Amino acid sequence: MPILWLFLIVSGIAIAGYYLGLARVMQSAGGDRRHMHSLPSYYGGNVAIKAAVPALLLMLVWLLVQPMIVNNSVSALIPDSAIDENSSRGLVLSEVRRAADGLNRAVAQGTMHADLANDPQADPDEVTSRLQDAGAIVTSQITRPILNAAQSYRQQTQRGNLLMSGAVIVLALLGALWGLRGAQADFRARNVVETAVKMLLIGAASIAILTTLGIVLSLVFNTIEFFRLYPASDFFFGTNWAPSFSGRGGSSDLGVLPLLWGTFYISVVALAVAIPIGLFAAVYLSEYASNGVRAVAKPLLEVLAGIPTIVYGLFALLTVGPLLVSVFGRDGLGIMQAGTAVITAGLVMGIMLIPFVSSLSDDIINAVPQAMRDGSYGLGATKSETIRQVVLPAALPGIVGAILLAASRAIGETMIVVLGAGAAARLSLNPFDAMTTVTAKIVSQLTGDADFASPEALVAFALGMTLFVITLALNVFALYIVRKYREQYD
Amino acid sequence: MKDNHIAENEVATKNIKIAARDVQVYYGDTHAIKDVNVEIEDKTVTAFIGPSGCGKSTFLRCINRMNDTIDICRVVGDIRIDGEDIYDRKVDPVQLRAKVGMVFQKPNPFPKSIYDNVAYGPRIHGLARNKADLDDIVERALRRGAIWNEVKDRLDAPGTGLSGGQQQRLCIARAVATEPEVLLMDEPCSALDPIATAQVEELIDELRQNYSVVIVTHSMQQAARVSQKTAFFHLGNLVEFGDTDKIFTTPEDPRTESYITGRIG
């Protein structure tokens, strides 16, 4: 609540600064906006930015740093003796925080007097029962060290919040004054505002990049933890995937090869379906279809891309699987055991990928300059010769990029595999066998009661990391191909 | 004026290659070409001049039916090459274009090697019996395109990596490699510097020995330099057609005179 208020106050100062800045610069220019360097709104914006940005940044930093400092000082208050044997300092600290929150709430509700909340000699039992009455979540009896730590935590936090409010408001006012001082007709307010806009854009770009880094790091630490518990050579070269959930360690085989093989096999089947169909559809749409057909057919094709993958999964499970079984199963050729198989998931995934390949390729083929086609027609080439020998080679880098993008999708696809390919991890060449992929196994290892200290759960992060590295390599390769051949025409 | 001298010689053996009668072209509702009648001689360079949008490029593209690739374009009238109506149902535009080559305003080499660029036409028309034959055709075409010496050591390099002037000469070599009878050039020098332009003009003069060349140009000096016959187009009409030196010295139509003296355009 105080933070929201603080934010509103700073915004208020910024808005007031905006109008004050406008008024001041108008006065300094003698009421004629043609005498100013920038448009009046830039002067107002300059004041508002100088008031709000430093103050809000300070607030952000303070909010991040204060809990760390308070935690450290509170942690020092807890003697080692107060920590249970099968507990840890972190658990005790969260107990302290819960107790402090409870005290805050109890005081706010009026069920506890502020003096009692702050009294270091207060009886822990009484405080506990009062807190429970007030509806605070206190797991066990509060001991004296915890109570004292909670009281200290509460006081320090309150003091910190007060200091923060003061500092932020003062900084906002100082910023506004600084901005107002500059609100003179010859001040280059526009440059200041545009620099601020640039910073905002840089910030947005950095957030995207830093998030990627964060995701990688979160995977890396768990992966390292996994390899501490399970030998890396067994993981990368093991041909058996048999995690056990009953006993810890030793009894599980966690070889990644069957999963990688399943991923690879299903992706290959999917691409074998998607590339020819998608490419031919793209060639038809961009070279042969009349404008009317194109206007209708392209959006229809792109509808495929909008279907959630779980729906494709259902389609695989309920329609394609039984259909394949009726042809290849016991009543037909007898080579297919059940509806869930590589071929089922691969076919359905291929259908899912068609719009990726066709839509991107269509755009790329359209981008081939008409002059190139004219040159070919001018030499007496037919339409299909022109497409095969001039248009497609010119569009090839882009098409390869589209295909690699589709491959990344195929490798990362989960739901179709879960429902369409079965759950058995095995190394087999038969496309009518059930197999499973890396992604499907990540799901099954982390759902249910996962103990994050066991290799059976941590292996999910190692799998995720492996997958991440593979798709990253594919994307880098795609970019390289596209870059290398991009300047071929134009 | 050596060009004019040759032209006079050839008037004696006058031989009509392309004959257009009452040609009309419509783009949708726009009437782009009106009642054009023209007779283009064999082994002659004919220049089409006129202000922008006057229809000279459109008419040029009628001669090899390139306008077929534009959906809304409609051609009415009669264009004959060697007496054969090229808009007849029996005529395959693909074969027609093999006979009537075209060089475009902007150099448009394919994203292939220099060799493959030139070999493209001979390959699709099956002109070479074997690899050695194809090598010969490519070399001859590149020599006729006056670019052989510059590229003979790097035939495998991409054609798009050449300079603008070289690219345009490559495109000309590519066009002559299919042994066309007529070569249409749509402002072939507009993207080139004066030196490259001079090379292309020299080339056009040599090509005249074997082909009938039709060139669209915005440069009246170029028309005067390279052509023996000149046609002046204005607002979709063929205003005047005749010997180049006559058009440039004593034009009959006042519009022609205004254009070549720079008063309209």
Side-chain angles (χ1 to χ4, degrees), chain B residues 168-188:
Chain B
Q168 191 62 297
R169 278 178 286 149
L170 176 65
C171 290
I172 294 171
R174 189 175 73 184
V176 301
T178 48
E179 300 288 345
E181 295 166 23
V182 179
L183 196 56
L184 308 176
M185 300 179 132
D186 190 354
E187 296 182 45

Side-chain angles (χ1 to χ4, degrees), chain B residues 15-26:
Chain B
N15 186 359
I16 303 299
K17 187 74 184 169
I18 306 165
R21 250 204 334 265
D22 299 332
V23 174
Q24 324 277 339
V25 179
Y26 302 88

